[in-house]
Structure formats: structure tokens, C-alpha cells
Amino acid sequence: MKLPSSFYLEHDACAAGRLLLGKVLVTDLDGGRTAAIISETEAYMGVVDRASHAFAGKRTARNEVMYARGGSAYVYLCYGIHHLFNVVVLDAGIPHAVLIRAVVATEGFAVMQQRRPQAGTTTGGPGTLTQALGIRTVHNGEDLAGHRIWIEDRGIFIPDEAIIVGPRIGVDYAGADAHLPYRYRIAPSHPIKP
DNA sequence: CGAATGATATACT
DNA sequence: GTATATCATTCGA
């Protein structure tokens, strides 16, 4: 069920971004257990990617986790308000990461409601899904092989034709790299079995 | 469309 | 050490 560490070591950010669609992100944090199907991801392809925090090998206290071994969680605060959750892939020293941009909640609705009382809609973006799942910057560097945050394969298969590929969102500062087809999402018409 | 909101990176003294 | 610009966004008008 739980993805093996080899999954994170053997795929680069693009491959992992594609393969993580349909997988289930589970958290067991304060307040209870929640789970959600990953429905949208973005790949950040390391030192050659202008949109990545690790472009040109840049290394700071914030992005240090990107250089950790695949299977680590990279969580950081964006716009002073939102916590964004990434999955680090490939070996230590190679800063590839996959941003989880949207999920479909499957378990722990009561807990999610409690965490986001004002939730008009469901988890529509990268900043709100972390709130629903209870992920905060405290969890930066968390090992996905542990028992607080992990990803499971529950046999949900997403065929290639159900995947919409497009440019990443909110990375205009990256120049030409902003147009790269590194965003993956499950077509809204594609059924997701519970 | 634009304010909110605060850590972080970067460029200074 | 201090100052300032910048965000991998969201929500409400």
C-alpha cells in the first residue's frame, strides 16, 4: 500500500508528478487522520529550472530539504499565508521536487471541517489542501516513510488519456521556463473511484 | 481586480 | 545587523 522509498528515488520530478496522480496522500497529525486522492501536481526539475527554488544550485536554509534524499517532504510558507507541500525525489544532492497542487478528500471530513471552518469549497488549491490535511512548516523535512505523512497506492489507475498536461501556475518570474509542460492534472471528466 | 500577510532572500550599512 | 522587495496564493468585492 504505502509507496516504497524506491518510488521516490527512481523517478525524476516529471515522472513522479505523472505517477502521483491517483495516489492517496494520508496524514495522521493533531486532531486525527485524513486522506485525499492527488488530482493535480507540478514538477520542479532541479538546478536547470528557473521556476525552482533550487535553480542554479541555490542552497538556503529554506530549500535545504530539496537536496535531501527522495521521499522527504518540502513544506514552506508562501505569500505569508499559505503552506505548500512538495515531495522531494531522486537521490540526495539532486533537488527535484513535485508540488501537490490539488487533491480530492476521501477520509476525515470532520477533521478537515474543523481545521478549515470557513471552507466554502473543498480543497481547491495548493494552499488550502495543506490546511485541510493539517500540514504546516513544522513538517518540513518529514520522512514520507514515517507514520505522520505518507502516500499510498490504492490501485487507482489513471490512463494517459485522462491526464491534462499544461504550463505551471504562478511562476511568471521564471521567464521561458514558465511555459514548460510540467503541470499534470486528472481530467475533470475522468471518474475517480473511492 | 486587489488587498492581505509574514517569512525569506538579498543588498546594503 | 538592518532595510526592502519579493513571493510555487486565496478570498472577497
Side-chain angles (χ1 to χ4, degrees):
Chain A
M1 286 280 276
K2 189 182 287 193
L3 293 181
S5 57
S6 60
F7 176 90
Y8 304 106
L9 296 172
E10 292 172 4
H11 303 288
D12 68 12
C14 283
R18 153 75 181 77
L19 291 168
L20 283 174
L21 293 178
K23 299 293 188 292
V24 180
L25 176 58
V26 189
T27 65
D28 193 354
L29 303 169
D30 49 57
R33 177 169 161 148
T34 50
I37 299 169
I38 297 170
S39 59
E40 185 172 342
T41 63
E42 275 179 10
Y44 286 83
M45 293 290 283
V47 300
V48 299
D49 184 356
R50 278 197 107 78
S52 171
H53 290 163
F55 174 65
K58 191 166 75 165
R59 203 161 179 150
T60 67
R62 176 178 68 163
N63 74 5
E64 183 62 31
V65 176
M66 294 187 81
Y67 293 85
R69 187 183 159 89
S72 304
Y74 174 39
V75 184
Y76 72 96
L77 188 66
C78 183
Y79 293 105
I81 304 173
H82 307 288
H83 297 88
L84 269 52
F85 173 76
N86 300 252
V87 177
V88 176
V89 294
L90 294 183
D91 258 319
I94 308 174
H96 278 221
V98 178
L99 170 69
I100 307 304
R101 180 162 267 289
V103 298
V104 178
T106 59
E107 189 183 325
F109 292 98
V111 183
M112 293 188 191
Q113 178 103 27
Q114 193 176 344
R115 284 173 179 149
R116 324 183 49 223
Q118 81 287 7
T121 61
T122 46
T123 56
T128 55
L129 74 88
T130 53
Q131 200 182 347
L133 293 173
I135 299 173
R136 300 178 304 271
T137 53
V138 187
H139 305 109
N140 188 35
E142 188 78 29
D143 184 358
L144 298 182
H147 60 283
R148 285 185 287 275
I149 304 174
W150 67 93
I151 299 174
E152 295 181 359
D153 185 345
R154 296 193 184 171
I156 301 174
F157 175 69
I158 309 295
D160 277 341
E161 59 268 26
I163 297 179
I164 299 174
V165 180
R168 292 173 290 187
I169 305 285
V171 293
D172 294 343
Y173 61 89
D177 287 0
H179 309 306
L180 293 171
Y182 287 172
R183 174 172 171 239
Y184 310 95
R185 68 188 176 109
I186 301 175
S189 59
H190 186 76
I192 298 173
K193 75 175 173 186

